[in-house]
Structure formats: structure tokens, C-alpha cells
Amino acid sequence: MSEIVLEFFGAVGEVTGSCTLVHVNGRRVLVDFGLFQGSEDAEIRSLVPPPVDLSTLTAVVVTHAHIDHCGRLGMLPKYGFTGKIYATTGTADLLPRVLRSSARLQRMRFFERTDGTAPWARALMPGEEPGSAPKLPVIERMFEMADSKDCASRIVPVPLGKECQIADDVWIRFWNAGHVVGAASVEIIAGSGAARKSVVFSGDLGSYGSPLLAPPESPRHADIVVIESTNGGRRREPGANPERDIAAVLAEASGDRAKIIVPCFALGRAQQIVHRLSVLRARGELRNFNVYLDSPMAVHGMEALYKHPEYLAPALRSAVEAGEAPLWFPELHYLLSKRESMALDGLVHGGIVIAGSGFMDAGPILRHLEMSVDREDVRVLIGGYQPEGGMAWKLSNGADRMQFNGRIVPVRAKIARVEGLSGHADQDDLMRWLEGFADAPGRVVINHGTDEGRTALATRVRTELGCPVSMPNMGDLITA
Ligand SMILES: [Zn+2]
């Protein structure tokens, strides 16, 4: 009989830092090597590799190109890893750019913080006193550009659904996770016939109702399923209708020919917003707005959807396979450089600017706000989960001023919300994915979620599927 033992080194009781070591018939395979995010402390934790000899790993497998799953891959060369990194063809397309961009950002941030020139911004609630510059620690670089290139040279693209042998008696197979282009669940299979055992990692799962992406696929069997639980305790808001929310802002603002600023993450939300705008354009509801996608990574994400239509919802996939470009419309402009982004500063009216970051804590979105947030004809369209107390949360909850490097700017822009654009499965989607297995899994392991989310999902799995459930802590071992 084959042996599979899982050892957990990240995303246990939290939603970032995904990293699990799989001991499989004497081999060692690392599944995901993601960044811890959300605080300075998390970034410092990311600098410390798991207590594992990375130089002797058999292979690394990556579920998708979000940095909480792949953001530390660039550390591998530094610790002597010379093996292969397996990913879907879609993720393999995105990973080199993600790693290069991460190396560039780390280097820029290191020097800005060393010489005290790091830009900063905060939103101020009514009555809140402006503050001085935050004390930002100088964080060492995890890896350099050369390491990102070394990693890129080790990536092996594997098509969805194809069994790929990664060692003498070990295979992997990717299943579409419906989360972002390239995102997959991965099945690791040890041995064959009576000796066969398998473990499935869900990776991040998407929702079944996405009009942009194909729904998640459930594998057939697994001795252990490791499932994410980002939204393990949440259910989608009933009646949410993002097209209606966006159309309402366009209709209300069109008289002003306003600038509409939309904070987005480059992989996922940005493509969803462009898709919804393409639908509104087809209905004649885009009004006179031009749309500026101000993120080279988001543009690359758009192109990846055309190149890998297997990740698209059926109607869009058919259109792309027929040679059409269903997400494109004449008013859509791709901005690929800082110079093009800065040219938007002079944009007086009539534009929708989609830029990162989605939490509005970094990136070009801050410059767009600094230039425009004091204008009454500007709208800021905020969607999705926002960490409490963060920039977007404060703007959504009545912040009346912003502070940019010490300069105070009044908030006169109107803040609008768009609901129902989460790229993550909710609790019902997670259950549906588990129920889609041909046989109930031997054990369900819940990670990549807060303890509240994990516990809520665990209760449903135990009562509705009757499976044993584990919620690992850092360093825990679980045997199949
Ligand atoms: Zn993700």
C-alpha cells in the first residue's frame, strides 16, 4: 500500500501563505509556496522558509498564480532547489510575470524604505487626526530577479485533465477550479491498482454561478481532500447583482461625464469588471465612458483568457474558439506602462479607470485617488471583501479626508459599492464541490481559512457528508 503524509506549513487558520509538504512513497512534493500577507508581521514571516530541506524536494506543484499561493517560489533557487515546478498551462503562462514583478517590487520597496522615500497614504474618518509617516520596517528581499528567472526556467506546463508522472510511482492531475485563469485543484496519486492512494488539494475554488469562468470540477476519488475555506463561513449575498450596481453608477454619473475609479486585483477582479462592462456595452449601457485597464498584469490576465479558453464559461469559450473576442469592445484601452498610466492624470472626464491594488493600500490606484478624490464628479466603485480599518473600508464607511505623504485632501468623490463579485466559492459552493466526488472522501482537511470559517464548514461536512474532518495547525502531520 502506498503512503501519503501531509505536513502543513502555511494558511493554517488564515487565508494566506499556502504551503503543504506531501510525503509520498518516500518522495517529497511541495504544494504551493505562497506569501503571508496582510501586515508587516506577515511579510516578515514570509522571509523564513519552512523547516524543510528545499534542495532535496522531488518537485513543486502550484495551484494558481495568486501570490498567497506562489509568491515565495523565488526563494527556491536560494535554498538549492533544482527540480521542476508543475503548473497548468494557464498558470505557467502567468507565473514568470508574477515572479518578475514580485522581484521588482521587493527591490523597489527595499530601497524606498532604506532611504525613507516610500510613498504612503491613509484615509481619515471624521474627527480623526492626520498622522505622521508610518514607521515602515526595511524588509529584506526574499529573492532577486535572477531567482525569478531561474524559477521560470523550471516550470513544466501540464494541461487540465492530463495525468502527468512526476516520479517513479507518483502522478499529478489538474482539475479546473473556476477561480481565475489557470487556477486548478491538484490530485496527487501514489501507486496503482490495490496500492493506489491519492490526495486532492482544492487550491482556491471559484463560484458555480460565474458568468465569466467555467465552474469548478470535482475530482472523482480521494483518500484525503484538502479544501480551502476562505469563505467557509459565508454565503453569497442574496439578490446581489453587480451589473445592476455598475450600471446604476454609470447612469448616475454619465450626466457629469465623470471619472470612475475602480480598485481591482490584477488577476480575477479586473477581468470580472471588464467582462461586466462588456455586457453593459452590448446592452448600450456603457454610456460614453472609455475604459482604461491600468495594469500590465491585468492585461496579461485578459490575454491569458483568450489563450486558454478552457477556463471560460461555456458561451464565452465557444465565442473565443470561433475566433471572436467577446471581452473586447472599442472603448477598452490597455495601459502597459507607467507613462500611459500617468497620462490619465490629465483625464478630465468620461473615463473608467481600473487599477490596483484592490485593497487600495498600494499601486497606481493611490495616485489616481490623489489626483481626483477631491472632485465631486469622481466616483470610486468599491467591491468585495475589504479588511476592516483598511483604506477601502474607511472610504466605504465615511472617511472624509485622505492623507498622501502628509498632504491632506478632502474626499468629495462619491463612493459606491458593487456587490457579488467574489472570485471565491462561498460555503454552498464548497459543499457542492465536495458532494461532486463520486465517493465521499476518506477525510476532509480544512485549511486556508480563519478558524471561524473552518469551523463553520467543518460542521456542515460532518453532518452532511459524514466524513471525518481535520483542521491542521502549523507543522501538523496528517496520514492518509
Ligand atoms: Zn486565489
mmCIF file of all heavy atoms in Angstrom, residues 392-425:
data_model
loop_
_atom_site.group_PDB
_atom_site.id
_atom_site.type_symbol
_atom_site.label_atom_id
_atom_site.label_comp_id
_atom_site.label_asym_id
_atom_site.label_seq_id
_atom_site.Cartn_x
_atom_site.Cartn_y
_atom_site.Cartn_z
ATOM 1 N N ALA A 392 -9.853 51.069 1.782
ATOM 2 C CA ALA A 392 -11.135 50.942 1.076
ATOM 3 C C ALA A 392 -12.284 50.841 2.066
ATOM 4 O O ALA A 392 -13.365 51.398 1.849
ATOM 5 C CB ALA A 392 -11.108 49.723 0.165
ATOM 6 N N TRP A 393 -12.058 50.139 3.162
ATOM 7 C CA TRP A 393 -13.095 50.008 4.198
ATOM 8 C C TRP A 393 -13.438 51.386 4.758
ATOM 9 O O TRP A 393 -14.607 51.730 4.935
ATOM 10 C CB TRP A 393 -12.584 49.084 5.308
ATOM 11 C CG TRP A 393 -13.597 48.815 6.387
ATOM 12 C CD1 TRP A 393 -14.524 47.811 6.438
ATOM 13 C CD2 TRP A 393 -13.796 49.590 7.586
ATOM 14 N NE1 TRP A 393 -15.278 47.903 7.579
ATOM 15 C CE2 TRP A 393 -14.856 48.980 8.306
ATOM 16 C CE3 TRP A 393 -13.181 50.719 8.122
ATOM 17 C CZ2 TRP A 393 -15.310 49.474 9.528
ATOM 18 C CZ3 TRP A 393 -13.632 51.213 9.338
ATOM 19 C CH2 TRP A 393 -14.690 50.595 10.030
ATOM 20 N N LYS A 394 -12.404 52.198 5.032
ATOM 21 C CA LYS A 394 -12.654 53.526 5.604
ATOM 22 C C LYS A 394 -13.396 54.417 4.605
ATOM 23 O O LYS A 394 -14.334 55.135 4.971
ATOM 24 C CB LYS A 394 -11.332 54.182 6.020
ATOM 25 C CG LYS A 394 -10.773 53.612 7.335
ATOM 26 C CD LYS A 394 -9.418 54.183 7.624
ATOM 27 C CE LYS A 394 -9.398 54.911 8.962
ATOM 28 N NZ LYS A 394 -8.067 55.465 9.260
ATOM 29 N N LEU A 395 -12.989 54.360 3.328
ATOM 30 C CA LEU A 395 -13.687 55.174 2.330
ATOM 31 C C LEU A 395 -15.152 54.741 2.205
ATOM 32 O O LEU A 395 -16.045 55.558 2.050
ATOM 33 C CB LEU A 395 -12.989 55.085 0.971
ATOM 34 C CG LEU A 395 -11.731 55.945 0.809
ATOM 35 C CD1 LEU A 395 -11.077 55.663 -0.527
ATOM 36 C CD2 LEU A 395 -12.038 57.435 0.943
ATOM 37 N N SER A 396 -15.378 53.423 2.286
ATOM 38 C CA SER A 396 -16.762 52.914 2.204
ATOM 39 C C SER A 396 -17.571 53.321 3.423
ATOM 40 O O SER A 396 -18.791 53.277 3.409
ATOM 41 C CB SER A 396 -16.780 51.381 2.142
ATOM 42 O OG SER A 396 -16.175 50.923 0.994
ATOM 43 N N ASN A 397 -16.884 53.635 4.522
ATOM 44 C CA ASN A 397 -17.582 53.908 5.783
ATOM 45 C C ASN A 397 -17.468 55.367 6.224
ATOM 46 O O ASN A 397 -17.505 55.661 7.414
ATOM 47 C CB ASN A 397 -17.062 52.965 6.879
ATOM 48 C CG ASN A 397 -17.607 51.553 6.696
ATOM 49 O OD1 ASN A 397 -18.717 51.231 7.080
ATOM 50 N ND2 ASN A 397 -16.812 50.715 6.039
ATOM 51 N N GLY A 398 -17.296 56.269 5.263
ATOM 52 C CA GLY A 398 -17.462 57.685 5.592
ATOM 53 C C GLY A 398 -16.194 58.497 5.793
ATOM 54 O O GLY A 398 -16.268 59.627 6.289
ATOM 55 N N ALA A 399 -15.018 57.969 5.436
ATOM 56 C CA ALA A 399 -13.797 58.788 5.561
ATOM 57 C C ALA A 399 -14.006 60.096 4.798
ATOM 58 O O ALA A 399 -14.544 60.091 3.692
ATOM 59 C CB ALA A 399 -12.600 58.026 5.004
ATOM 60 N N ASP A 400 -13.594 61.213 5.399
ATOM 61 C CA ASP A 400 -13.857 62.499 4.741
ATOM 62 C C ASP A 400 -12.606 63.195 4.236
ATOM 63 O O ASP A 400 -12.673 64.241 3.609
ATOM 64 C CB ASP A 400 -14.662 63.430 5.661
ATOM 65 C CG ASP A 400 -13.940 63.726 6.963
ATOM 66 O OD1 ASP A 400 -12.859 63.147 7.203
ATOM 67 O OD2 ASP A 400 -14.470 64.536 7.753
ATOM 68 N N ARG A 401 -11.435 62.628 4.554
ATOM 69 C CA ARG A 401 -10.181 63.182 4.035
ATOM 70 C C ARG A 401 -9.227 62.039 3.736
ATOM 71 O O ARG A 401 -9.348 60.952 4.294
ATOM 72 C CB ARG A 401 -9.502 64.092 5.081
ATOM 73 C CG ARG A 401 -10.217 65.421 5.343
ATOM 74 C CD ARG A 401 -9.961 65.871 6.767
ATOM 75 N NE ARG A 401 -10.516 64.923 7.703
ATOM 76 C CZ ARG A 401 -9.987 64.626 8.897
ATOM 77 N NH1 ARG A 401 -8.885 65.212 9.301
ATOM 78 N NH2 ARG A 401 -10.554 63.726 9.687
ATOM 79 N N MET A 402 -8.250 62.322 2.873
ATOM 80 C CA MET A 402 -7.152 61.374 2.664
ATOM 81 C C MET A 402 -5.844 62.115 2.862
ATOM 82 O O MET A 402 -5.766 63.338 2.656
ATOM 83 C CB MET A 402 -7.216 60.745 1.270
ATOM 84 C CG MET A 402 -8.389 59.791 1.108
ATOM 85 S SD MET A 402 -8.303 58.819 -0.420
ATOM 86 C CE MET A 402 -6.999 57.652 0.005
ATOM 87 N N GLN A 403 -4.865 61.357 3.286
ATOM 88 C CA GLN A 403 -3.552 61.947 3.539
ATOM 89 C C GLN A 403 -2.550 61.218 2.637
ATOM 90 O O GLN A 403 -2.430 59.995 2.705
ATOM 91 C CB GLN A 403 -3.208 61.730 5.011
ATOM 92 C CG GLN A 403 -2.052 62.544 5.497
ATOM 93 C CD GLN A 403 -1.772 62.318 6.990
ATOM 94 O OE1 GLN A 403 -2.416 61.509 7.637
ATOM 95 N NE2 GLN A 403 -0.783 63.029 7.497
ATOM 96 N N PHE A 404 -1.897 61.999 1.774
ATOM 97 C CA PHE A 404 -0.923 61.408 0.855
ATOM 98 C C PHE A 404 0.441 62.011 1.173
ATOM 99 O O PHE A 404 0.651 63.212 0.940
ATOM 100 C CB PHE A 404 -1.273 61.724 -0.604
ATOM 101 C CG PHE A 404 -2.591 61.147 -1.044
ATOM 102 C CD1 PHE A 404 -3.754 61.908 -0.978
ATOM 103 C CD2 PHE A 404 -2.682 59.840 -1.522
ATOM 104 C CE1 PHE A 404 -4.969 61.387 -1.380
ATOM 105 C CE2 PHE A 404 -3.899 59.320 -1.933
ATOM 106 C CZ PHE A 404 -5.048 60.085 -1.866
ATOM 107 N N ASN A 405 1.343 61.233 1.730
ATOM 108 C CA ASN A 405 2.671 61.723 2.108
ATOM 109 C C ASN A 405 2.573 63.035 2.890
ATOM 110 O O ASN A 405 3.318 63.978 2.663
ATOM 111 C CB ASN A 405 3.549 61.936 0.868
ATOM 112 C CG ASN A 405 4.026 60.602 0.324
ATOM 113 O OD1 ASN A 405 3.204 59.750 -0.034
ATOM 114 N ND2 ASN A 405 5.314 60.405 0.277
ATOM 115 N N GLY A 406 1.613 63.129 3.768
ATOM 116 C CA GLY A 406 1.491 64.315 4.615
ATOM 117 C C GLY A 406 0.524 65.356 4.072
ATOM 118 O O GLY A 406 0.071 66.236 4.798
ATOM 119 N N ARG A 407 0.195 65.290 2.780
ATOM 120 C CA ARG A 407 -0.726 66.271 2.181
ATOM 121 C C ARG A 407 -2.172 65.815 2.427
ATOM 122 O O ARG A 407 -2.520 64.661 2.139
ATOM 123 C CB ARG A 407 -0.463 66.343 0.673
ATOM 124 C CG ARG A 407 -1.192 67.469 -0.037
ATOM 125 C CD ARG A 407 -0.590 67.639 -1.429
ATOM 126 N NE ARG A 407 -1.134 66.697 -2.398
ATOM 127 C CZ ARG A 407 -2.228 66.901 -3.121
ATOM 128 N NH1 ARG A 407 -2.901 68.040 -2.999
ATOM 129 N NH2 ARG A 407 -2.658 66.012 -3.982
ATOM 130 N N ILE A 408 -3.001 66.714 2.972
ATOM 131 C CA ILE A 408 -4.394 66.358 3.284
ATOM 132 C C ILE A 408 -5.290 66.762 2.110
ATOM 133 O O ILE A 408 -5.231 67.899 1.636
ATOM 134 C CB ILE A 408 -4.905 67.107 4.540
ATOM 135 C CG1 ILE A 408 -3.900 66.993 5.690
ATOM 136 C CG2 ILE A 408 -6.292 66.614 4.938
ATOM 137 C CD1 ILE A 408 -3.819 65.645 6.312
ATOM 138 N N VAL A 409 -6.106 65.834 1.662
ATOM 139 C CA VAL A 409 -7.005 66.093 0.529
ATOM 140 C C VAL A 409 -8.425 65.751 0.977
ATOM 141 O O VAL A 409 -8.652 64.656 1.501
ATOM 142 C CB VAL A 409 -6.598 65.205 -0.681
ATOM 143 C CG1 VAL A 409 -7.563 65.397 -1.826
ATOM 144 C CG2 VAL A 409 -5.177 65.499 -1.110
ATOM 145 N N PRO A 410 -9.394 66.659 0.798
ATOM 146 C CA PRO A 410 -10.766 66.309 1.185
ATOM 147 C C PRO A 410 -11.355 65.260 0.243
ATOM 148 O O PRO A 410 -11.039 65.254 -0.949
ATOM 149 C CB PRO A 410 -11.526 67.645 1.048
ATOM 150 C CG PRO A 410 -10.726 68.449 0.076
ATOM 151 C CD PRO A 410 -9.290 68.018 0.219
ATOM 152 N N VAL A 411 -12.189 64.391 0.788
ATOM 153 C CA VAL A 411 -12.864 63.398 -0.062
ATOM 154 C C VAL A 411 -14.191 63.997 -0.518
ATOM 155 O O VAL A 411 -15.113 64.169 0.261
ATOM 156 C CB VAL A 411 -13.116 62.076 0.706
ATOM 157 C CG1 VAL A 411 -13.938 61.103 -0.143
ATOM 158 C CG2 VAL A 411 -11.792 61.434 1.105
ATOM 159 N N ARG A 412 -14.261 64.365 -1.797
ATOM 160 C CA ARG A 412 -15.526 64.875 -2.361
ATOM 161 C C ARG A 412 -16.110 63.874 -3.360
ATOM 162 O O ARG A 412 -17.257 64.008 -3.769
ATOM 163 C CB ARG A 412 -15.295 66.223 -3.052
ATOM 164 C CG ARG A 412 -14.818 67.320 -2.104
ATOM 165 C CD ARG A 412 -15.022 68.712 -2.698
ATOM 166 N NE ARG A 412 -14.443 69.724 -1.849
ATOM 167 C CZ ARG A 412 -13.227 70.255 -2.017
ATOM 168 N NH1 ARG A 412 -12.465 69.868 -3.031
ATOM 169 N NH2 ARG A 412 -12.765 71.172 -1.187
ATOM 170 N N ALA A 413 -15.297 62.919 -3.768
ATOM 171 C CA ALA A 413 -15.789 61.896 -4.705
ATOM 172 C C ALA A 413 -16.902 61.106 -4.031
ATOM 173 O O ALA A 413 -16.913 60.957 -2.808
ATOM 174 C CB ALA A 413 -14.645 60.961 -5.084
ATOM 175 N N LYS A 414 -17.828 60.594 -4.861
ATOM 176 C CA LYS A 414 -18.882 59.740 -4.299
ATOM 177 C C LYS A 414 -18.364 58.302 -4.261
ATOM 178 O O LYS A 414 -17.794 57.821 -5.245
ATOM 179 C CB LYS A 414 -20.135 59.805 -5.172
ATOM 180 C CG LYS A 414 -20.827 61.159 -5.080
ATOM 181 C CD LYS A 414 -22.108 61.144 -5.903
ATOM 182 C CE LYS A 414 -22.659 62.554 -6.002
ATOM 183 N NZ LYS A 414 -23.395 62.777 -7.245
ATOM 184 N N ILE A 415 -18.598 57.642 -3.151
ATOM 185 C CA ILE A 415 -18.145 56.261 -3.003
ATOM 186 C C ILE A 415 -19.345 55.344 -3.257
ATOM 187 O O ILE A 415 -20.406 55.516 -2.646
ATOM 188 C CB ILE A 415 -17.588 56.002 -1.578
ATOM 189 C CG1 ILE A 415 -16.599 57.111 -1.164
ATOM 190 C CG2 ILE A 415 -16.962 54.615 -1.492
ATOM 191 C CD1 ILE A 415 -15.349 57.209 -1.987
ATOM 192 N N ALA A 416 -19.184 54.399 -4.170
ATOM 193 C CA ALA A 416 -20.282 53.462 -4.473
ATOM 194 C C ALA A 416 -19.791 52.039 -4.245
ATOM 195 O O ALA A 416 -18.599 51.763 -4.315
ATOM 196 C CB ALA A 416 -20.728 53.643 -5.922
ATOM 197 N N ARG A 417 -20.738 51.154 -3.971
ATOM 198 C CA ARG A 417 -20.377 49.744 -3.738
ATOM 199 C C ARG A 417 -20.888 48.886 -4.897
ATOM 200 O O ARG A 417 -21.925 49.165 -5.486
ATOM 201 C CB ARG A 417 -21.042 49.222 -2.451
ATOM 202 C CG ARG A 417 -20.555 49.865 -1.174
ATOM 203 C CD ARG A 417 -19.310 49.219 -0.621
ATOM 204 N NE ARG A 417 -19.346 47.752 -0.641
ATOM 205 C CZ ARG A 417 -18.281 47.000 -0.356
ATOM 206 N NH1 ARG A 417 -17.121 47.546 -0.055
ATOM 207 N NH2 ARG A 417 -18.352 45.685 -0.392
ATOM 208 N N VAL A 418 -20.109 47.845 -5.225
ATOM 209 C CA VAL A 418 -20.621 46.822 -6.144
ATOM 210 C C VAL A 418 -20.508 45.491 -5.404
ATOM 211 O O VAL A 418 -19.456 45.168 -4.850
ATOM 212 C CB VAL A 418 -19.858 46.820 -7.500
ATOM 213 C CG1 VAL A 418 -18.364 46.739 -7.332
ATOM 214 C CG2 VAL A 418 -20.341 45.693 -8.399
ATOM 215 N N GLU A 419 -21.615 44.768 -5.327
ATOM 216 C CA GLU A 419 -21.644 43.514 -4.564
ATOM 217 C C GLU A 419 -21.702 42.315 -5.509
ATOM 218 O O GLU A 419 -22.124 42.433 -6.648
ATOM 219 C CB GLU A 419 -22.874 43.477 -3.632
ATOM 220 C CG GLU A 419 -22.996 44.668 -2.689
ATOM 221 C CD GLU A 419 -21.871 44.777 -1.661
ATOM 222 O OE1 GLU A 419 -21.087 43.819 -1.517
ATOM 223 O OE2 GLU A 419 -21.769 45.840 -1.011
ATOM 224 N N GLY A 420 -21.275 41.172 -4.997
ATOM 225 C CA GLY A 420 -21.460 39.913 -5.720
ATOM 226 C C GLY A 420 -20.371 39.591 -6.732
ATOM 227 O O GLY A 420 -20.595 38.828 -7.661
ATOM 228 N N LEU A 421 -19.173 40.155 -6.541
ATOM 229 C CA LEU A 421 -18.096 39.864 -7.498
ATOM 230 C C LEU A 421 -17.007 38.970 -6.908
ATOM 231 O O LEU A 421 -15.914 38.897 -7.446
ATOM 232 C CB LEU A 421 -17.449 41.165 -7.979
ATOM 233 C CG LEU A 421 -18.192 41.939 -9.076
ATOM 234 C CD1 LEU A 421 -17.462 43.233 -9.388
ATOM 235 C CD2 LEU A 421 -18.332 41.111 -10.341
ATOM 236 N N SER A 422 -17.290 38.282 -5.807
ATOM 237 C CA SER A 422 -16.229 37.482 -5.187
ATOM 238 C C SER A 422 -15.759 36.383 -6.138
ATOM 239 O O SER A 422 -16.568 35.700 -6.763
ATOM 240 C CB SER A 422 -16.728 36.848 -3.887
ATOM 241 O OG SER A 422 -15.720 36.000 -3.374
ATOM 242 N N GLY A 423 -14.450 36.219 -6.240
ATOM 243 C CA GLY A 423 -13.893 35.145 -7.063
ATOM 244 C C GLY A 423 -13.775 33.851 -6.289
ATOM 245 O O GLY A 423 -13.252 32.865 -6.794
ATOM 246 N N HIS A 424 -14.235 33.866 -5.049
ATOM 247 C CA HIS A 424 -14.104 32.684 -4.190
ATOM 248 C C HIS A 424 -15.437 31.977 -4.022
ATOM 249 O O HIS A 424 -16.493 32.608 -3.908
ATOM 250 C CB HIS A 424 -13.606 33.094 -2.794
ATOM 251 C CG HIS A 424 -12.120 33.256 -2.727
ATOM 252 N ND1 HIS A 424 -11.267 32.195 -2.566
ATOM 253 C CD2 HIS A 424 -11.345 34.349 -2.804
ATOM 254 C CE1 HIS A 424 -10.021 32.631 -2.541
ATOM 255 N NE2 HIS A 424 -10.029 33.941 -2.691
ATOM 256 N N ALA A 425 -15.368 30.661 -3.950
ATOM 257 C CA ALA A 425 -16.531 29.854 -3.612
ATOM 258 C C ALA A 425 -17.069 30.293 -2.255
ATOM 259 O O ALA A 425 -16.289 30.616 -1.359
ATOM 260 C CB ALA A 425 -16.109 28.386 -3.534
#
